[in-house]
Amino acid sequence: MCASVVGVIRVSGLSKRYGDVLAVHDLTFTVPPGRVTGFLGPNGAGKSTTLRMILGLNRPSSGTATINGRPFAHLRAGLRHVGALLDANDVHGGRSAAAHLSALARGNGLPRRRVHEVLAEVRLAGVAGRRLGGFSLGMRQRLGIATALLGDPPVLLFDEPVNGLDPEGVRWVRDLFRRLAAEGRAVLVSSHLMSEVEHTADRLVVIGRGELIAEESVAEFAARGSRAGVSVRTPAAAELAALLTRAGAAVTAEGVDALTVTGLSAPRVGELAHTHGIVLHGLATRTASLEQAFMELTADRADHRAGERR
Amino acid sequence: MSTATPIARPTTPPARFRDLLAAEWIKLWSLRSTRWLLGVGALALIGFAAYSSVNTYLDWPTYTPREQAAYHPVSEVLTGATAALLVIGAGSVGALTVVGEYATGLIRTTLTAVPARHRVVAAKVAVVAAVMLTLGAVVTAASFGASQAILSGRQIGVSLTDPGVLRVLAADALLAPVAALVGMGLGALLRHTAAAVVAVCGVLVVVPSFLKPTVHQWANDLYATLPLYVWRNCLSQTHPRDSPALPTVTGSWVVFALWPLVAALLTLIVVTRRDV
């Protein structure tokens, strides 16, 4: 594959201070090509501020963010390098969808047919001439996605893209993200809800209070939840527990014939049992829900927890 | 990564500055409010000039010889009141080209599409200046033509070659782009629709309207830095009076050049420096 067209975002030591508030603190992560990277954090964690710094809209207090090794802020035709949907309402309500996209396309030297192509792709071709002031949030989200696709860029950023979309729209947008990644593009999708990205993302970048909590694959992240582990059912529970503990695992008894094991994989547990002639009646890997792992990890770093009163 | 296939890159030519000019032109012209304001405003100004000329035509026999001697037909093109309207209209449209981006959030979309902010500002300034200069020239020419057609019935028409006439017409035509660019600067500074329009009215129209030449020379020098003041007391007159209390023609042109220049620089600095 041709390396020059592949996009990668590198964020390095990025910080942003607003007066006394440190919105983003020393953030370092990479968004690789060919993957959908979920960018997760509770409300107020600093996701949007980070995205704005990547796009050169906000100046970092320190650190750098680069697209293919270059700061985005000096590019002449940004749409060809990065497609971004930050806020679907960042449009002028007095313009038609076609006029809005035409101005953006023209400013980047893109042919006019791209406007019709992206409008058709997001299924807004029928309302191209209608003024944006009359668009619903879902229609604006589609327009924002159309804007991001306009320049056929190798890097795409989407901030809370499913807000306002109907279930069919949500499925469509997930398929779109998967397809964009499969084409070799770097796709970053932010959300404050794990459920929105767990079916789309290959990797996760999780932040809380402006700091990095995790940067890893979805599977690795799921394993962090406290309910993750291996469930074993065996008539020789006590014997197996002692054996597994010696092998370095943490073992909890779940009744007379069941154990929960963490620190060893299911195949390894099975092998050890077999080697020592212990009969197993059940052996299963139990993954915590991603949502739960996310809640546990961000609980102490959430700025706006539900039910909290000042 | 094995599943990743290369993206087919479009062989589009690189974005040129003239593409940005076209983009700003589309943005300005795709707003119904701009088209209405500029269209109706231009027609209204031409209408006022014609109406005022008709009044002069009808009242001419009642003018004293002294009044007739002091009268100059080119003054029908823009009166003090219509000049104020023109400045408010042009200044507001100029302000809205920037405020419209900030107040709606469109600026984030714009600067994501074209991250090189100085190019966006340069294109916006160029398009606004060109559109407003065209508008000013059309209004001036049409008003002058209508006024001449009406007044020729009294044999009080003037020729473009008469002393001072071309200068007055040039100053009338330039009032719109000067006001529009100053409005842009105020819009960039304030980023709020109502505040920007109030500032345009205050700085460009209301304050200069209250000022009259005084016995204090420092005050006269200060007043002579305001665009509408120098237009009223110097550039709009075919034979400006030569008095130290009044602005000079050269000084007035400098004011007409410096205000939009400083405003454009201010817009550039504010837009490139601030987070959006």
Side-chain angles (χ1 to χ4, degrees):
Chain A
M1 74 188 264
C2 176
S4 64
V5 300
V6 167
V8 57
I9 306 172
R10 279 184 214 286
V11 170
S12 173
L14 203 62
S15 297
K16 180 69 178 182
R17 180 180 283 282
Y18 292 108
D20 290 339
V21 182
L22 199 54
V24 174
H25 180 227
D26 197 21
L27 207 53
T28 300
F29 64 87
T30 303
V31 181
R35 297 275 188 282
V36 177
T37 301
F39 190 33
L40 277 172
N43 288 331
K47 299 186 298 295
S48 295
T49 305
T50 303
L51 294 179
R52 286 180 186 189
M53 285 194 283
I54 291 172
L55 293 170
L57 298 175
N58 289 10
R59 205 183 293 262
S61 304
S62 61
T64 56
T66 59
I67 310 284
N68 288 340
R70 298 169 68 188
F72 185 63
H74 301 297
L75 296 174
R76 289 179 171 193
L79 294 176
R80 297 193 197 182
H81 298 268
V82 180
L85 164 59
L86 289 187
D87 183 334
N89 292 316
D90 287 347
V91 296
H92 195 301
R95 281 191 195 102
S96 69
H100 174 76
L101 291 174
S102 295
L104 292 169
R106 191 61 203 268
N108 270 241
L110 298 166
R112 205 178 148 64
R113 73 179 153 74
R114 282 299 296 156
V115 172
H116 305 295
E117 285 170 7
V118 293
L119 279 173
E121 169 133 33
V122 302
R123 300 170 207 182
L124 285 178
V127 291
R130 225 201 277 172
R131 295 206 294 165
L132 302 178
F135 272 32
S136 68
L137 178 57
M139 290 161 83
R140 287 180 189 211
Q141 291 284 16
R142 286 171 182 272
L143 181 75
I145 291 165
T147 307
L149 299 176
L150 206 50
D152 194 22
V155 174
L156 291 131
L157 308 178
F158 299 96
D159 196 2
E160 308 272 355
V162 302
N163 281 358
L165 291 180
D166 53 25
E168 183 272 334
V170 171
R171 188 150 55 154
W172 165 74
V173 90
R174 283 177 182 161
D175 290 345
L176 176 70
F177 294 161
R178 301 268 4 128
R179 200 184 79 215
L180 292 169
E183 287 168 349
R185 300 173 216 256
V187 182
L188 185 66
V189 182
S190 94
S191 179
H192 63 283
L193 295 173
M194 172 59 90
S195 55
E196 282 181 5
V197 295
E198 65 181 324
H199 302 300
T200 334
D202 310 290
R203 300 175 70 252
L204 294 173
V205 171
V206 185
I207 67 170
R209 287 200 182 166
E211 293 185 36
L212 188 73
I213 295 176
E215 181 187 6
E216 56 202 9
S217 72
V218 172
E220 285 167 329
F221 187 78
R224 284 167 169 262
S226 59
R227 279 172 53 198
V230 177
S231 292
V232 196
R233 290 176 68 82
T234 170
E239 194 185 337
L240 182 63
L243 179 63
L244 295 174
T245 308
R246 277 203 301 281
V251 181
T252 321
E254 310 273 355
V256 286
D257 62 347
L259 300 173
T260 294
V261 183
T262 52
L264 282 180
S265 67
R268 187 79 190 106
V269 171
E271 280 167 26
L272 282 169
H274 176 72
T275 314
H276 292 81
I278 296 172
V279 173
L280 297 187
H281 291 165
L283 178 64
T285 302
R286 194 170 67 195
T287 51
S289 79
L290 284 168
E291 193 70 58
Q292 199 207 355
F294 176 55
M295 298 290 278
E296 284 176 16
L297 272 167
T298 58
D300 56 329
R301 307 202 208 191
D303 272 334
H304 306 287
R305 254 172 297 171
E308 201 173 73
R309 290 276 176 274
R310 288 170 199 228
Chain B
M1 286 283 290
S2 55
T3 57
T5 53
I7 304 159
R9 305 309 298 163
T11 50
T12 335
R16 298 150 303 183
F17 188 67
R18 103 168 96 104
D19 292 323
L20 272 184
L21 292 175
E24 288 300 327
W25 168 260
I26 293 170
K27 281 205 263 186
L28 188 69
W29 225 237
S30 59
L31 285 180
R32 224 187 285 175
S33 53
T34 318
R35 293 200 300 266
W36 273 97
L37 198 56
L38 296 187
V40 172
L43 287 178
L45 290 171
I46 297 164
F48 282 134
Y51 176 74
S52 168
S53 303
V54 167
N55 278 344
T56 305
Y57 177 90
L58 296 174
D59 294 344
W60 186 251
T62 69
Y63 277 30
T64 64
R66 222 183 126 145
E67 283 170 333
Q68 292 193 350
Y71 174 80
H72 200 289
V74 81
S75 66
E76 300 289 3
V77 173
L78 276 184
T79 64
T82 53
L85 276 180
L86 173 70
V87 166
I88 290 172
S92 300
V93 169
L96 288 176
T97 59
V98 175
V99 176
E101 297 246 359
Y102 281 97
T104 58
L106 176 64
I107 189 72
R108 285 188 285 275
T109 306
T110 301
L111 296 183
T112 303
V114 184
R117 298 186 186 189
H118 61 280
R119 285 166 65 86
V120 176
V121 174
K124 214 179 255 300
V125 165
V127 167
V128 167
V131 167
M132 288 302 175
L133 181 60
T134 308
L135 181 89
V138 166
V139 167
T140 302
S143 298
F144 183 71
S147 162
Q148 285 295 300
I150 292 159
L151 295 174
S152 62
R154 296 279 186 210
Q155 277 77 48
I156 45 175
V158 285
S159 160
L160 284 175
T161 53
D162 288 357
V165 171
L166 266 181
R167 175 177 43 73
V168 172
L169 294 178
D172 290 351
L174 283 168
L175 214 43
V178 168
L181 292 186
V182 173
M184 249 181 106
L186 291 169
L189 208 57
L190 298 167
R191 304 205 274 187
H192 185 277
T193 312
V197 172
V198 168
V200 164
C201 296
V203 172
L204 287 177
V205 177
V206 178
V207 170
S209 313
F210 283 114
L211 306 178
K212 303 262 181 313
T214 74
V215 290
H216 304 291
Q217 190 52 36
W218 64 266
N220 292 329
D221 292 343
L222 186 68
Y223 301 166
T225 62
L226 297 168
L228 201 57
Y229 184 88
V230 302
W231 178 85
R232 203 176 66 219
N233 291 298
C234 174
L235 291 178
S236 68
Q237 301 177 6
T238 45
H239 298 85
R241 277 182 31 227
D242 193 11
S243 155
L246 292 167
T248 63
V249 172
T250 313
S252 300
W253 282 131
V254 171
V255 169
F256 260 46
L258 277 183
W259 274 70
L261 200 66
V262 170
L265 280 174
L266 185 75
T267 309
L268 182 71
I269 291 168
V270 169
V271 172
T272 47
R273 291 282 173 87
R274 277 194 190 159
D275 283 357
V276 291

